[in-house]
């Protein structure tokens, strides 16, 4: 007999804890009972405030769980109880953030986030009531657990409150918490949420205030903090400029990859692919799909920009230009012999356009401890009479193509190579004098010195000292060995520079001594002195950061195939790409992460899109290695994304490099094949018609699975075949796809059959639209033979389902349907199995007779349908009689149990 308020007061003052908990759970119901009276609503909210002071933590936690529901009620009834939430409920939530009980604090934190997400808190309340409390909880003298939780809440609510509040109220305290020297838990929370804060405040605030803190966190002495930085590196990179990303963040990420802690390296390698993807430039690499080719929108603009900065435009041609020269020395030099060499320059159209779009090659790596700056400039004139080949353009330092043989050569690796001599060819005569048989002098150019400066030696010594405590780690030991070798090699720098100073070259045209087209060069050097020390060469080959150590051996000839295998590009820092390519190294699985290859495979489409198709040669070998990986999870990851990669690379590269791998996936495990099957249409539509037709013979293989119970595999095949119909001709559909569809229509699983009915109906529609009546009749006859005349009742029932799909999908004009299909359909009215007759009655009454062709015009076909229905109405089976007698609209809204039972067997 108590009123809602009286009942609330009675149990709220009870000494029984469970009674007070029940009061908290019933608050919403009480409010709904008194919603018509504003005073009663306010009275209930006042009781809520009193209940929030309960000494029992379970009661307070139960109350806090109900606060979001109460807030929603207050929002819905805002006109009658304005400001109720702000006055009564929000103070409770804020107060519980500092509650002594952990459960109460967790509940209040979750409630606060829900309220912010639902936008139930006014912005003014966020600024005046929520943020000040959170800032107070993160004060230096605050409780450690409360401080950590408050920082986490601040980071999570940043995206909900917007940039303005975050930048004014949250960002300053967040920067202070990043430098909390006493508690690494706080720094770890800040590092884990750094990306979210960066994305909210934007680029300017990130670069000005956050990045210095981020650099400190990445070098924190606690590995958990550094690991959190590695995990959010991509989000931070997205909030910075391209220049800062390339110059500073790349070097910082390299440090995380080489971190002494295995867990940090593991997180860094997992973020490496996403971080590389942030270097993508949409304005330069925007791609669109057109005529089975993905083209670069900005290719021409990039080429024009580069060409305008060059002194002369290099002609692009598909033919090779060979420059043959005999290098001879004068008689005054002892033991000099004639050395013949040939340099092949291929100016292939694709390579030249790639070179133009990439601009100058970046020759400064992040770790350039032992880099030899090699520069060369060759100037010549075109169409010079008396020569056998013409030099097409000036070869400048920045535009010099670096081949794979320059990157790595077995001869260059195992012994001291011949140094790269910088050549500066100056034409001292005018154009007419150059073409005359006068003498040209080749001046000695400035040679790069391999020595390492004193500052670099100090840096090496400091790095070695920092790494020595972690010498037990194999990766760290390898780094120490490399740095030690570099330190030893630094002492040889002055000797190497003095030896290189002996090199000079003089090229002259001698009218009386040489044949036209031959160039005589004078080389003066000390043959007995080694050119580059073994130590320096060892460092170069070990670090693999030197990409311009050219091999000018007289035996060397650079082939186009070797050029394409070069891993040099300028889209992302080369050191990052080298680390990404090393993720397929088996040693990484032992020292970093057993699933590192899977992470590499997962991010390879993003890396390929970032580099562009003109740099696909950098990833080709890595992709082939991943495709042959022993772990099926790695191959499965590639199979699910191969269609995206094909879209990035375009038709020609897909046919050359992806088709063999695609064919291998087709014969792989079902776990791998399903990835190919799910995107079969997306991949095949990118191929040329002749290549596409080759797979018609292999589609039948998808019907065979390792596990016959894997019915979803066959259902996916049916879905893909529906899409593939538009890629093939009517003849191919009838000859190759129809047998597969017929097989799927006989599947044991109902879900597979239902999709297959739609597949067959779409085939009929496709053949009718192709205006080939002979093929259409052949297909319909096959359906009648396979199903309508089947000795099994399930096959005859399937024919009725197919006819129903044909009618509902308007796959055939009703006149054509009535002539070629309906006689066979009506013949099933005398079928001996009731299930077939039940489905026939439903199809005729609910589907066929609803068509305009049978409603408006009187014809012989309509008469035949009506006679069949009359016969079914007199059927001995009650279910058949029921569906043949009722009005179509009475059961059309739903499928009853009988319909479901009749469609399964």
């Amino acid at each position: 007999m108590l009123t809602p308020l009286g009942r609330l007061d009675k149990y709220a003052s009870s000494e029984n804890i469970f009674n007070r908990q029940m009061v908290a759970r019933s608050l919403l119901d009480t409010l709904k009972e008194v919603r018509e009276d504003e005073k009663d609503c306010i009275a209930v909210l006042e009781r809520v405030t009193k209940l929030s002071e309960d000494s029992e933590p379970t009661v307070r936690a139960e109350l806090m769980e109900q606060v979001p529901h109460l807030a929603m009620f207050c929002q819905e009834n805002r006109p009658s109880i304005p400001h109720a939430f702000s006055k009564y409920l929000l103070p409770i939530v804020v107060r519980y953030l500092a509650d002594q009980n952990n459960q109460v604090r967790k509940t209040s934190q979750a409630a606060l986030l829900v309220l912010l997400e639902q936008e139930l808190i006014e912005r003014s309340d966020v600024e005046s009531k929520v943020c000040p409390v959170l800032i107070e909880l993160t004060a230096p003298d605050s409780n450690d657990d409360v401080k950590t939780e408050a920082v986490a809440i601040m980071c999570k609510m940043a995206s909900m409150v917007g940039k303005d509040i975050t930048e004014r109220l949250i960002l300053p305290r967040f920067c202070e918490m990043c430098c909390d020297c006493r508690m690494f838990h706080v720094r770890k929370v800040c590092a884990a949420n750094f990306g979210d804060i960066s994305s909210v405040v934007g680029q300017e605030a990130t670069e000005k205030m956050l990045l210095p803190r981020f650099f400190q966190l990445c070098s924190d002495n606690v590995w958990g903090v550094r690991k959190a930085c590695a995990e959010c590196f991509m989000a931070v990179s997205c909030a910075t400029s391209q220049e800062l990303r390339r110059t500073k963040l790349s070097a910082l990420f390299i440090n995380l990859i080489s971190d002494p802690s295995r867990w940090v390296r593991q997180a860094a390698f997992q973020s490496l692919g996403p971080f590389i993807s942030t270097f993508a430039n949409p304005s330069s690499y925007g791609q669109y799909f057109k005529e089975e080719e993905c083209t670069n929108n900005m290719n021409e603009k990039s080429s024009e920009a580069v060409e305008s900065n060059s002194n002369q435009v290099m002609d692009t041609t598909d033919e090779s230009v060979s420059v043959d020269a005999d290098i001879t020395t004068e008689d005054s030099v002892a033991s000099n012999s004639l050395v013949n060499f040939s340099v092949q320059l291929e100016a292939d159209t694709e390579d030249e356009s790639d070179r133009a779009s990439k601009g100058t090659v970046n020759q400064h790596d992040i770790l350039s401890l032992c880099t030899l700056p090699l520069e060369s400039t060759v100037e010549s004139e075109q169409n010079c009479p008396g020569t056998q080949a013409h030099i097409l353009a000036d070869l400048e330092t920045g535009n010099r193509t670096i081949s794979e043989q320059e990157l790595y050569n077995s001869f260059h690796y195992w012994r001291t190579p011949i140094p790269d001599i910088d050549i500066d060819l100056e034409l001292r005569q005018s154009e007419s004098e150059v073409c005359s048989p006068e003498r040209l002098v080749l001046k000695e150019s400035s040679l790069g010195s391999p020595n390492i400066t004193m500052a670099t030696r100090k840096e090496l010594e400091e790095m070695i000292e920092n790494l020595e405590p972690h010498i037990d780690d194999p990766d760290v030991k390898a780094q120490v060995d490399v740095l030690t070798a570099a330190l030893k090699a630094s002492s040889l720098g002055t000797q190497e520079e003095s030896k290189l100073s002996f090199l000079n070259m003089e090229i002259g045209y001698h009218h009386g001594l040489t044949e036209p087209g031959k160039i005589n060069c004078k080389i003066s050097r000390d043959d007995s002195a080694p050119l580059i020390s073994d130590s320096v060469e060892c460092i170069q080959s070990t670090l693999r950061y030197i990409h311009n150590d050219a091999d000018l051996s007289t035996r060397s000839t650079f082939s186009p195939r070797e050029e394409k295998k070069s891993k040099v590009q300028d889209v992302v820092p080369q050191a990052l790409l080298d680390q990404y390519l090393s993720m397929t190294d088996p040693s990484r699985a032992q020292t970093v992460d057993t699933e590192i290859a899977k992470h590499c495979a997962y991010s390879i489409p993003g890396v390929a899109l970032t580099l562009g198709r003109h740099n696909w040669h950098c990833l080709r070998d890595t992709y082939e290695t991943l495709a042959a990986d022993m772990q099926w999870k790695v191959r499965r990851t590639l199979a699910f994304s191969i269609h995206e990669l094909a879209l990035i690379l375009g038709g020609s590269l897909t046919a050359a490099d992806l088709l063999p791998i695609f064919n291998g996936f087709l014969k792989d495990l079902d776990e791998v094949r399903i990835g190919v099957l799910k995107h079969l249409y997306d991949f095949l539509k990118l191929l040329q018609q002749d290549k596409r037709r080759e797979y018609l013979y292999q589609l039948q293989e998808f019907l065979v699975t390792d596990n016959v119970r894997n019915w979803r595999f066959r259902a996916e095949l049916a879905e893909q075949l529906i899409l593939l119909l538009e890629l093939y001709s009517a003849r191919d559909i009838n000859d190759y796809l129809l047998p597969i569809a017929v097989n799927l229509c006989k599947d044991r699983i109902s879900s597979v059959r239902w999709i297959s009915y739609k597949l067959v109906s779409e085939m009929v529609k496709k053949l009718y639209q192709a205006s080939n009546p002979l093929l259409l009749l052949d297909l319909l006859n096959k359906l009648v033979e396979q199903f309508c005349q089947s000795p099994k009742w399930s096959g005859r029932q399937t024919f009725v389902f197919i006819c129903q799909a044909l009618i509902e999908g308007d796959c055939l004009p009703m006149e054509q349907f009535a002539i070629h299909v309906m006689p066979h359909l009506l013949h099933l009215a005398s079928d001996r199995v009731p299930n077939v007759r039940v489905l026939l009655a439903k199809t005729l009454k609910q589907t066929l007779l609803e068509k305009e062709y049978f409603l408006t015009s009187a014809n012989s076909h309509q008469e035949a349908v009506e006679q069949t229905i009359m016969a079914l109405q007199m059927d001995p089976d009650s279910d058949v009689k029921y569906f043949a007698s009722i009005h179509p609209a009475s059961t059309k809204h739903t499928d009853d149990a009988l319909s479901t039972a009749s469609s399964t067997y």
Side-chain angles (χ1 to χ4, degrees):
M1 302 298 294
L2 294 175
T3 62
L5 284 178
R7 189 168 57 249
L8 188 65
D9 291 335
K10 176 182 178 181
Y11 291 105
S13 59
S14 173
E15 296 182 357
N16 192 326
I17 297 176
F18 298 104
N19 288 339
R20 301 201 299 274
Q21 285 181 338
M22 290 302 300
V23 169
R25 294 174 188 173
S26 62
L27 284 173
L28 182 60
D29 296 333
T30 304
L31 277 175
K32 290 180 179 180
E33 291 180 16
V34 300
R35 65 191 310 168
E36 302 298 334
D37 190 343
E38 179 182 348
K39 293 182 179 179
D40 289 345
C41 290
I42 298 299
V44 172
L45 293 176
E46 290 176 350
R47 268 70 169 181
V48 171
T49 304
K50 183 178 179 181
L51 189 63
S52 67
E53 300 173 357
D54 196 287
S55 59
E56 178 59 36
T58 56
V59 176
R60 300 199 302 273
E62 187 67 44
L63 174 63
M64 189 50 55
E65 289 182 1
Q66 302 301 319
V67 165
H69 305 289
L70 299 177
M72 187 65 69
F73 176 85
C74 294
Q75 182 68 21
E76 294 173 354
N77 298 271
R78 190 180 181 87
S80 59
I81 47 175
H83 311 295
F85 171 76
S86 176
K87 182 178 180 180
Y88 296 102
L89 298 180
L90 184 58
I92 301 174
V93 177
V94 173
R95 187 171 74 251
Y96 279 5
L97 291 175
D99 196 273
Q100 295 180 354
N101 185 268
N102 181 56
Q103 182 183 1
V104 176
R105 289 200 309 272
K106 296 293 184 183
T107 309
S108 64
Q109 294 163 12
L112 177 61
L113 294 178
V114 171
L115 295 172
L116 289 172
E117 185 180 2
Q118 298 295 328
E119 298 181 353
L120 297 175
I121 306 179
E122 299 289 341
R123 292 184 62 87
S124 58
D125 291 336
V126 174
E127 295 186 29
S128 60
K129 296 182 179 180
V130 178
C131 289
V133 172
L134 292 175
I135 293 174
E136 181 181 354
L137 293 178
T138 55
D141 57 346
S142 179
N143 180 272
D144 294 344
D145 293 337
V146 174
K147 182 191 297 186
T148 304
E149 295 169 358
V151 172
I153 289 294
M154 290 172 60
C155 297
K156 292 178 181 178
M157 65 181 287
S159 59
M160 303 176 188
V161 300
K163 177 181 178 181
D164 180 52
I165 295 179
T166 301
E167 199 166 350
R168 288 189 294 106
L169 303 177
I170 298 178
L171 185 59
R173 179 51 60 93
F174 179 82
C175 293
E176 294 178 11
M177 293 297 98
C178 291
C179 303
D180 192 308
C181 300
R182 190 167 61 90
M183 287 193 61
F184 79 91
H185 296 287
V186 175
R187 301 196 304 274
K188 185 177 179 180
V189 172
C190 292
N193 295 276
F194 215 97
D196 297 334
I197 297 292
S198 300
S199 60
V200 172
V201 300
Q203 177 177 330
E204 182 179 356
T206 297
E207 295 180 355
K208 182 179 179 181
M209 300 183 64
L210 291 179
L211 272 190
R213 307 295 188 276
F214 189 67
F215 275 75
Q216 295 176 6
L217 293 175
C218 287
S219 59
D220 197 276
N221 57 357
V222 178
W223 67 266
V225 178
R226 303 195 302 272
K227 178 177 179 291
C229 291
E231 292 172 346
C232 70
F233 212 95
M234 175 188 174
V236 176
S237 177
C238 291
T240 60
S241 63
Q242 187 74 259
E243 179 182 0
L244 193 62
R245 191 178 301 147
R246 179 179 295 272
T247 56
K248 294 186 178 180
L249 291 184
S250 298
L252 183 63
F253 196 84
I254 291 296
N255 291 338
L256 292 176
I257 284 183
S258 58
D259 195 271
S261 172
R262 175 171 180 167
W263 305 111
V264 178
R265 297 197 303 272
Q266 179 177 329
F269 273 108
Q270 291 181 15
S271 301
L272 178 56
F275 176 52
I276 290 177
S277 67
T278 61
F279 287 87
N281 188 352
S283 61
S284 299
Y285 298 99
Q287 296 177 338
Y288 61 96
F289 186 80
K290 181 179 180 182
E291 296 180 356
E292 301 182 1
E293 278 293 323
C294 295
T295 57
N296 196 314
N297 293 341
M298 304 298 293
N299 188 31
E300 296 179 358
K301 295 183 180 180
S302 300
S303 300
E304 292 174 0
V306 175
E307 290 172 355
S308 63
N309 294 330
S310 303
N311 293 335
Q312 291 183 356
V313 179
M314 182 174 293
D315 298 334
T316 57
T317 175
D318 290 337
E319 299 180 355
S320 300
V321 178
S322 299
V323 180
D324 299 329
D326 292 338
I327 303 180
T328 61
T329 57
E330 296 183 351
D331 296 336
S332 58
V333 182
S335 65
N336 290 329
S337 59
L338 184 65
V339 182
N340 299 324
F341 72 98
S342 173
V343 179
Q344 180 102 11
L345 302 176
E346 179 181 78
D348 166 284
T349 303
E350 179 180 354
D351 294 341
E352 289 297 325
S353 63
D354 293 347
R355 197 177 309 153
S357 63
K358 287 189 292 183
T360 58
V361 179
N362 183 14
Q363 297 181 357
H364 302 283
D365 297 321
I366 296 176
L367 299 179
S368 55
L369 296 177
C370 308
T371 303
L372 290 173
L374 303 177
E375 302 175 355
S376 63
T377 305
V378 178
E379 299 178 357
S380 182
E381 292 292 330
Q382 300 183 11
N383 303 323
C384 179
T387 60
Q388 296 176 351
H390 307 309
I391 300 177
L392 296 179
D394 293 346
L395 301 179
E396 297 183 352
T397 304
N399 294 330
R400 183 168 59 87
T401 305
I402 302 176
S403 68
E404 183 201 13
Q405 192 162 356
E406 293 176 311
L407 294 177
Y408 181 85
N409 181 277
S410 59
F411 173 77
H412 197 181
Y413 185 86
W414 291 109
R415 59 161 294 174
T416 302
I418 298 176
D420 189 0
I421 303 176
D422 298 338
I423 302 173
D424 185 14
L425 180 61
E426 294 185 356
L427 301 180
R428 294 188 174 184
Q429 289 83 5
S430 63
E431 182 176 357
S432 60
E433 292 176 345
V434 170
C435 297
S436 64
E438 297 293 335
R439 183 170 180 172
L440 280 174
V441 178
L442 177 65
K443 291 185 176 181
E444 176 184 356
S445 63
S446 59
L447 298 175
S449 176
N451 64 315
I452 302 177
T453 62
M454 291 298 297
T456 307
R457 292 177 193 161
K458 293 181 179 179
E459 293 177 0
L460 289 175
E461 293 174 354
E462 293 178 358
M463 294 173 67
I464 293 174
E465 292 177 0
N466 294 334
L467 292 176
E468 281 181 353
H470 311 283
I471 198 69
D472 295 337
D473 194 307
D475 287 350
V476 177
K477 186 177 184 302
Q479 296 176 33
V480 172
D481 294 341
V482 170
L483 296 175
T484 304
L487 189 61
K488 293 180 180 178
S490 63
S491 61
L492 303 176
T494 55
Q495 300 178 10
E496 301 304 326
E497 185 175 6
S498 63
K499 292 172 183 176
L500 289 173
S501 64
F502 287 103
L503 297 174
N504 58 73
M505 180 180 290
E506 185 176 16
I507 296 179
Y509 288 111
H510 297 278
H511 179 67
L513 297 178
T514 61
E515 300 177 5
K518 302 290 184 177
I519 302 177
N520 292 337
C521 301
K522 176 181 178 181
I523 301 179
S524 298
R525 63 182 179 86
D526 187 358
D527 294 332
S528 61
L531 300 177
I532 298 180
S533 67
D534 294 337
S535 299
V536 175
E537 176 57 27
C538 177
I539 299 169
Q540 290 175 339
S541 60
T542 303
L543 289 177
R544 293 186 296 175
Y545 289 120
I546 311 303
H547 301 287
N548 54 352
D549 49 347
D551 183 5
L552 292 184
S553 173
T554 57
R555 302 183 303 166
S556 299
T557 301
F558 304 132
S559 65
R561 184 176 182 181
E562 292 173 336
E563 288 285 346
K564 291 182 180 179
K565 290 185 178 180
S566 171
K567 301 297 186 294
V568 176
Q569 47 74 49
D570 66 344
V571 179
V572 301
Q574 188 63 36
L576 289 178
L577 183 61
D578 290 341
Q579 292 289 348
Y580 180 80
L581 299 180
S582 71
M583 292 175 72
T584 57
D585 191 341
S587 62
R588 294 291 190 190
Q590 299 177 0
T591 59
V592 180
D593 186 6
T594 56
E595 294 190 351
I596 189 172
K598 181 182 177 182
H599 298 301
C600 180
Y602 181 81
S603 57
I604 203 166
V607 176
L609 180 62
T610 302
L611 295 179
R613 73 177 57 170
H614 56 279
N615 287 319
W616 167 242
H617 59 274
C618 299
L619 297 174
R620 183 187 295 111
D621 294 342
T622 300
Y623 192 80
E624 293 174 354
T625 303
L626 292 171
D629 197 276
M630 294 297 295
Q631 300 182 68
W632 64 266
K633 292 183 179 180
V634 177
R635 304 194 303 274
R636 174 185 168 93
T637 304
L638 294 181
F640 271 93
S641 63
I642 192 171
H643 68 288
E644 297 289 355
L645 193 59
L647 185 63
I648 295 170
L649 298 182
S652 58
L653 289 176
T654 297
D657 298 329
L658 296 188
L659 273 186
I661 296 174
F662 182 82
N663 296 335
F665 288 160
L666 292 179
K667 302 175 183 178
D668 212 315
L669 301 175
D670 285 352
E671 289 79 3
V672 179
R673 294 169 68 203
I674 189 62
V676 174
L677 181 59
K678 277 185 174 293
H679 303 285
L680 187 62
Y681 165 77
D682 298 325
F683 184 83
L684 293 183
K685 73 178 181 181
L686 302 175
L687 304 180
Q688 298 294 335
Q689 183 65 29
D690 55 341
K691 293 287 186 183
R692 191 184 299 153
R693 290 194 75 253
E694 295 178 2
Y695 290 93
L696 284 170
Y697 309 96
Q698 303 183 40
L699 293 176
Q700 190 81 22
E701 299 177 1
F702 282 109
L703 293 174
V704 181
T705 57
D706 299 337
N707 185 1
V708 293
R709 297 183 179 180
N710 189 7
W711 60 269
R712 292 181 178 85
F713 200 92
R714 300 189 297 275
E716 185 63 41
L717 175 61
E719 294 278 8
Q720 288 296 314
L721 288 178
I722 295 175
L723 300 175
L724 290 175
L725 294 178
E726 69 177 61
L727 301 181
Y728 293 105
S729 64
R731 173 65 64 181
D732 290 338
I733 292 174
N734 187 67
D735 294 345
Y736 298 100
L737 301 186
L738 180 59
I740 303 176
V742 170
N743 200 323
L744 292 172
C745 286
K746 299 178 182 179
D747 198 90
R748 297 178 57 187
I749 305 301
S750 176
S751 299
V752 178
R753 295 198 305 272
W754 277 111
I755 303 173
S756 303
Y757 302 152
K758 182 181 179 182
L759 170 61
V760 173
S761 65
E762 292 295 330
M763 287 182 175
V764 174
K765 186 176 183 179
K766 175 77 173 180
L767 266 61
Y768 173 76
Q769 294 174 349
S771 301
N772 194 332
L774 294 179
L775 285 178
L776 178 60
L777 289 177
D778 183 53
L779 187 149
L780 294 176
N781 291 334
K782 289 180 179 177
L783 294 179
V784 171
E785 179 182 355
Q786 289 286 334
F787 300 108
C788 186
Q789 301 175 2
S790 173
K792 295 183 177 181
W793 72 270
S794 58
R796 300 192 297 274
Q797 187 189 53
T798 296
F799 182 77
V800 182
F801 277 121
I802 293 175
C803 292
Q804 186 178 10
L806 291 175
I807 299 171
E808 292 176 348
D810 294 326
C811 301
L812 278 177
M814 281 295 100
E815 184 177 359
Q816 295 289 330
F817 179 85
I819 295 174
H820 300 296
V821 181
M822 198 171 70
H824 304 284
L825 179 65
L826 299 181
H827 179 72
L828 295 176
S830 60
D831 196 276
R832 64 181 182 273
V833 178
N835 281 23
V836 178
R837 301 197 303 273
V838 166
L839 184 59
L840 175 62
K842 289 183 60 177
T843 302
L844 295 180
K845 291 288 288 184
Q846 300 179 15
T847 307
L848 187 64
L849 290 181
E850 289 293 299
K851 293 297 179 180
E852 186 178 0
Y853 179 79
F854 294 96
L855 293 176
T856 58
S857 61
N859 49 64
S860 58
H861 304 299
Q862 183 181 13
E863 183 179 352
V865 173
E866 291 178 352
Q867 291 178 357
T868 303
I869 291 178
M870 291 178 61
L872 292 173
Q873 289 175 352
M874 302 176 65
D875 194 274
D877 189 90
S878 59
D879 294 326
V880 177
K881 185 185 301 184
Y882 171 78
F883 283 104
S885 303
I886 61 174
H887 191 272
S890 62
T891 57
K892 194 174 182 180
H893 64 279
T894 184
D895 292 332
D896 57 10
L898 182 59
S899 173
T900 304
S902 65
S903 65
T904 58
Y905 50 87

